[in-house]
Amino acid sequence: MENKPKLVISTGAGMSAESGINTFRDNGGLWENYDVMEVASAEGFARNPGLVHKFYNDRRKELVKAHPNLGHMGLVELEKYFDVYVITQNVDDLHERAGSKNVLHLHGELMKVRTINPPYKVYRLEEGNLETSPESTDSEGRHLRPHIVFFQEAVPEIENAIKLTEQADIFVVIGTSLAVYPAASLLHYVRPGVPIYYIDPHPAAVPSGVRVIKKGASEGVAQLIDELTRGKK
Ligand code: OAD
């Protein structure tokens, strides 16, 4: 079988904005209404775990009502032409629900929880039972926490994300302010000469060789598909 080129796509909160999920740093974004160090940091969790559980309970309630948008679905369509790998900073499951086959979550997954102490065990929450609290335990009585990479914590998946990025034949960035490291550093691992696209209505500063598509995810991905598959359809 013909080997398809490897298309690696790094997504951020803007990918899910058109699904009704708030971004973090836009006007009205989550970090305007919440103190990130209170609700999403290791210190915040140690200080007030109840508040952190509540913050993620609320995010889960929002997520179960949301649906993948045309942008998520466009990335699935690209699997016809490319070997597609999605590296997402998003903790939602909209890439998976759209049908993307290979999704790596850099910052964890909202629909999962894990034991607080090693050996870490990860559990998927069941619909209808999506709330957790500092009292939540697994069947062996071990306390659980959101399966989220808090600020001040290591990002265990970054090594795998770097490996994928180094193998990319085409690299695409969608809907991220490129403000949070190490996710933002992935761009530096793209091999020289590999085409890079960046879809974002308010793009951050990027090197001059990057092809910037200044559009929202749905429209921008439609344009990307057009540009990448010209002559292939
Ligand atoms: P940000 O909120 O920092 O950036 C969102 C980006 O999405 C901005 O560049 C917007 O211009 C863009 N955007 C807005 N609407 C869009 C649309 N319709 N289509 C495409 N793009 C759109 O979110 P991230 O860069 O993802 O981490 O933030 C990175 C990390 O910071 C998050 O994973 C989260 C946060 O703190 C944790 O909580 C661990």
Side-chain angles (χ1 to χ4, degrees):
M1 235 169 51
E2 183 204 353
N3 258 353
K4 294 179 187 168
K6 195 161 192 161
L7 173 58
V8 179
I9 304 172
S10 164
T11 68
M15 186 79 227
S16 299
E18 290 159 39
S19 295
I21 296 184
N22 258 330
T23 61
F24 297 96
R25 295 176 184 78
D26 289 301
N27 280 341
L30 279 172
W31 296 156
E32 239 174 46
N33 297 309
Y34 295 90
D35 179 344
V36 54
M37 296 316 278
E38 295 295 327
V39 299
S41 76
E43 277 169 20
F45 186 64
R47 229 177 359 247
N48 189 349
L51 185 72
V52 177
H53 277 280
K54 181 180 180 325
F55 176 72
Y56 288 105
N57 287 341
D58 291 344
R59 305 279 75 72
R60 261 177 231 124
K61 277 185 213 150
E62 183 180 75
L63 175 57
V64 290
K65 287 192 237 136
H67 301 283
N69 63 54
L70 290 174
H72 294 105
M73 293 191 274
L75 301 191
V76 180
E77 190 183 335
L78 282 166
E79 294 187 9
K80 286 189 213 151
Y81 309 94
F82 300 97
D83 200 6
V84 177
Y85 289 82
V86 176
I87 300 169
T88 188
Q89 294 171 77
N90 299 345
V91 296
D92 67 51
D93 57 358
L94 296 178
H95 284 300
E96 288 90 339
R97 277 156 58 190
S100 280
K101 279 209 219 63
N102 308 305
V103 184
L104 182 155
H105 285 274
L106 272 181
H107 293 166
E109 293 177 71
L110 196 45
M111 300 307 281
K112 293 182 180 171
V113 289
R114 71 164 167 80
T115 52
I116 290 181
N117 298 314
Y120 300 123
K121 207 163 168 199
V122 177
Y123 298 94
R124 168 172 288 283
L125 292 168
E126 302 296 333
E127 211 148 311
N129 196 9
L130 297 176
E131 297 221 345
T132 60
S133 75
E135 285 73 47
S136 299
T137 58
D138 68 5
S139 58
E140 290 159 46
R142 299 186 299 175
H143 281 93
L144 299 169
R145 56 165 274 180
H147 186 44
I148 300 285
V149 176
F150 295 143
F151 278 92
Q152 304 162 326
E153 290 184 328
V155 179
E157 287 295 339
I158 193 66
E159 292 303 324
N160 289 328
I162 289 172
K163 270 187 217 139
L164 280 175
T165 303
E166 287 171 336
Q167 294 162 1
D169 297 308
I170 303 171
F171 191 74
V172 178
V173 179
I174 305 176
T176 167
S177 60
L178 295 170
V180 172
Y181 283 79
S185 67
L186 286 177
L187 265 179
H188 305 308
Y189 294 90
V190 179
R191 287 172 298 153
V194 166
I196 304 178
Y197 295 76
Y198 177 27
I199 299 170
D200 196 300
H202 305 287
V206 280
S208 59
V210 175
R211 164 111 178 83
V212 177
I213 300 177
K214 215 174 156 188
K215 291 185 174 167
S218 296
E219 254 191 288
V221 169
Q223 182 173 329
L224 179 76
I225 294 174
D226 198 48
E227 293 190 18
L228 293 183
T229 64
R230 221 167 269 164
K232 290 186 189 237
K233 285 188 178 172

